[in-house]
Amino acid sequence: MRIVIIEDERITADELAGTITELEPNAEIMAILSSVKSAIAYFDSHEVPDLIFCDVQLGDGLSFEIFKATKITAPVIFCTAYDEYALHAFKTNGIDYILKPSTSQTIADALNKYRTLRQTLGGEKRRYDELLELLTNRDSAAKSTSILVYHQEKILPVKLEEIALFYIAHEMTFLFTFSSVKYSVNKKMEELERLGGNGFFRVNRQYLVNRKAVADVSRYFLRKLSVNLTTPFKEKILVSKERTPLFLNWLETK
């Protein structure tokens, strides 16, 4: 098993390499890369490994930029201290998402997951990217296109394309449409985030915004961003500095 580690903390990288080789004695650590730039250069000139262990936040940016800049079909196990990138990770060749500090058991579980996928891949002779798509994406026909809301004594379907944003207020969840209508929603924000897919972005714990509702973005204090919507909404919507790189990356895919 040929493995590449992408991690900007050398001690962490060495510890991870040691754990992997203890659990998988036949594993070969092909390279330990410490930045987005060095990883892009490496994959442009080297053979793709069997598996990649990758941190999310590197010194020169988010590791997702590596997979945008290069054609990598190898599965990726992401290791990070932040749980907010999980959804994006599973759309970027991710097969597992380990929160730091990792343990020998979490690494072993991730390797077992890789082996299971590899066996399935070999048995059915499918390419990895085809299998990954089956595992991480729902069939488009099966995706929800509407959200049920409660209005007076009625239950109404509201199409996702008509929703500008979801938000939490007074411990309740609401949606706000492009026509400035508000409804309460009997779903948690995490479920709405999953249903909305890549068309929506969780800018912070309170707001989940439709890409089509973003008119523009302006700088705010302490490296935060303020999101200006195409529809009137009285509350200020801020993107935290931690989520800013991922938010801007999401906007670029528009």
Side-chain angles (χ1 to χ4, degrees):
M1 183 191 305
R2 301 167 303 163
I3 296 174
V4 167
I5 295 173
I6 305 174
E7 168 63 64
D8 60 353
E9 295 285 345
R10 187 68 198 197
I11 294 177
T12 301
D14 289 341
E15 289 177 349
L16 176 58
T19 301
I20 292 171
T21 52
E22 285 180 8
L23 294 168
E24 195 76 26
N26 294 326
E28 174 191 355
I29 307 299
M30 299 175 64
I32 295 178
L33 310 170
S34 61
S35 66
V36 172
K37 183 178 179 180
S38 64
I40 292 174
Y42 178 88
F43 290 119
D44 280 343
S45 58
H46 290 77
E47 188 178 355
V48 176
D50 297 313
L51 180 63
I52 298 171
F53 279 82
C54 185
D55 193 2
V56 173
Q57 290 193 342
L58 303 173
D60 59 345
L62 296 177
S63 61
F64 302 128
E65 295 298 323
I66 300 168
F67 305 98
K68 286 178 59 179
T70 60
K71 180 63 175 177
I72 300 174
T73 56
V76 183
I77 295 171
F78 286 94
C79 306
T80 178
Y82 303 93
D83 61 1
E84 61 197 48
Y85 298 110
L87 183 61
H88 197 86
F90 283 110
K91 294 180 179 179
T92 313
N93 287 28
I95 62 168
D96 209 344
Y97 193 87
I98 299 173
L99 287 176
K100 294 180 178 178
S102 61
T103 65
S104 179
Q105 185 59 54
T106 57
I107 300 299
D109 290 343
L111 288 170
N112 285 333
K113 189 178 215 179
Y114 164 74
R115 280 191 288 268
T116 300
L117 285 175
R118 186 178 61 182
Q119 290 170 1
T120 304
L121 180 63
E124 300 186 9
K125 297 183 179 180
R126 292 178 177 172
R127 292 181 55 181
Y128 167 75
D129 52 357
E130 294 174 336
L131 181 60
L132 180 66
E133 184 176 357
L134 289 173
L135 291 172
T136 60
N137 296 310
R138 293 178 180 270
D139 185 87
S140 57
K143 283 186 176 180
S144 297
T145 58
S146 299
I147 299 293
L148 296 181
V149 300
Y150 300 85
H151 180 64
Q152 296 177 355
E153 296 182 354
K154 296 181 179 179
I155 300 176
L156 308 173
V158 179
K159 292 184 179 297
L160 281 171
E161 62 190 36
E162 299 174 356
I163 301 170
L165 73 154
F166 297 95
Y167 66 97
I168 297 173
H170 309 296
E171 300 184 355
M172 294 181 62
T173 305
F174 298 90
L175 66 79
F176 189 79
T177 70
F178 284 100
S179 55
S180 301
V181 179
K182 180 179 78 170
Y183 293 108
S184 62
V185 183
N186 191 26
K187 292 183 183 295
K188 293 184 178 180
M189 194 67 89
E190 290 75 15
E191 183 177 359
L192 294 171
E193 187 175 4
R194 178 179 60 80
L195 293 173
N198 195 47
F200 286 78
F201 187 90
R202 185 84 173 267
V203 298
N204 56 44
R205 293 185 180 277
Q206 189 177 1
Y207 295 103
L208 177 65
V209 178
N210 189 334
R211 180 188 281 107
K212 295 179 180 178
V214 179
D216 55 59
V217 181
S218 55
R219 294 289 178 183
Y220 200 68
F221 296 107
L222 299 176
R223 293 187 292 166
K224 294 181 180 180
L225 297 178
S226 177
V227 181
N228 303 307
L229 303 181
T230 58
T231 187
F233 188 74
K234 63 180 181 178
E235 301 297 332
K236 184 176 290 293
I237 300 176
L238 300 178
V239 185
S240 66
K241 63 181 180 181
E242 292 81 9
R243 293 191 63 78
T244 291
L246 194 58
F247 175 71
L248 294 177
N249 180 66
W250 173 72
L251 281 182
E252 281 186 338
T253 63
K254 185 173 181 179

